Amino acid sequence: MAKQIEFFFDVGSPTAYLAYTQLPRIAAECGAQIVWRPMLLGGVFKAIGSASPVTIPAKGRWMFGDMARWAKRYGVTLAKNPDFPINTLTLMRGAVGYQMRHPELFLRYVDIIYRAMFESPCNLGDPAVLADTLKKAGFDPAAFTALVGDPEVKAKLIANTEEAVARGVFGAPTMFVGEQMFWGQDRLDFVREALLQGS
């Protein structure tokens, strides 16, 4: 069985975005597969009685400065979204829906959404903006609306989020290599070490 990185993520998390930009390279270098685990971060926070770090002003200011340093180190674009934080319920239902119903479109969808969140930031919480973003990328907004309204898709996102909480997840990104859990995009070196130790 190939080595795996389970990646619990929410497209509204800028730190999960940073991890997203790096994990494919790490997986390739270590001969591992990424298991994509979309979850609703707001649901995790609600379940454990927590909240986004940006709700604490001093911590939020520090966090955005730190993320800028990491983006520079990684050589990737990270623009602050003026509408952050954005409710990602529909977006994450979309991720689950494409993963379930149209897996060939899943990674393209995630990439489009992450770029619209943190590279050329726009308010994806606005249905009209989201529809326009999807249409420009070649997705059918009407089909997307039907997909995110599918009861099985809704249930799967709930199940993913409940599983994350049950396994000890408290934020995004969270990665598992076997039973080892790593939280935060600044823990990717430890993810790599865990993969190499398992080889």
Side-chain angles (χ1 to χ4, degrees):
M1 183 177 179
K3 293 177 286 186
Q4 295 184 337
I5 309 167
E6 289 183 87
F7 179 51
F8 283 87
F9 71 100
D10 183 309
V11 293
S13 165
T15 50
Y17 159 75
L18 287 173
Y20 161 79
T21 68
Q22 302 304 302
L23 277 175
R25 175 179 53 80
I26 292 171
E29 291 171 356
C30 297
Q33 296 177 345
I34 300 173
V35 180
W36 301 89
R37 307 301 306 275
M39 65 177 185
L40 186 64
L41 186 56
V44 171
F45 288 155
K46 184 177 180 180
I48 66 173
S50 185
S52 169
V54 299
T55 61
I56 303 169
K59 192 170 187 178
R61 286 191 298 272
W62 175 87
M63 183 177 168
F64 280 111
D66 191 60
M67 286 189 296
R69 285 188 288 269
W70 281 103
K72 183 177 180 181
R73 174 168 291 182
Y74 293 150
V76 300
T77 299
L78 176 63
K80 186 175 180 180
N81 192 311
D83 298 293
F84 181 88
I86 290 172
N87 185 318
T88 59
L89 177 60
T90 298
L91 301 175
M92 294 315 298
R93 284 177 177 169
V96 168
Y98 283 115
Q99 192 175 47
M100 289 176 65
R101 306 293 192 215
H102 306 285
E104 73 282 3
L105 298 176
F106 169 72
L107 285 179
R108 190 156 73 89
Y109 169 79
V110 171
D111 190 67
I112 288 162
I113 297 302
Y114 264 137
R115 290 180 187 279
M117 275 283 198
F118 300 115
E119 292 188 14
S120 301
C122 55
N123 184 7
L124 296 183
D126 181 329
V129 174
L130 175 57
D132 185 60
T133 300
L134 292 171
K135 187 175 181 179
K136 286 179 178 176
F139 286 80
D140 180 351
F144 175 83
T145 298
L147 184 69
V148 299
D150 183 330
E152 291 186 6
V153 169
K154 293 179 179 181
K156 178 60 174 172
L157 178 59
I158 291 170
N160 282 5
T161 304
E162 289 177 343
E163 179 191 346
V165 171
R167 292 176 66 181
V169 171
F170 54 86
T174 296
M175 293 141 290
F176 286 90
V177 177
E179 295 302 312
Q180 297 184 73
M181 186 178 94
F182 305 92
W183 172 64
Q185 62 82 27
D186 54 349
R187 297 298 186 267
L188 294 179
D189 283 347
F190 292 115
V191 171
R192 182 195 299 274
E193 287 178 11
L195 290 168
L196 294 175
Q197 289 167 1
S199 60

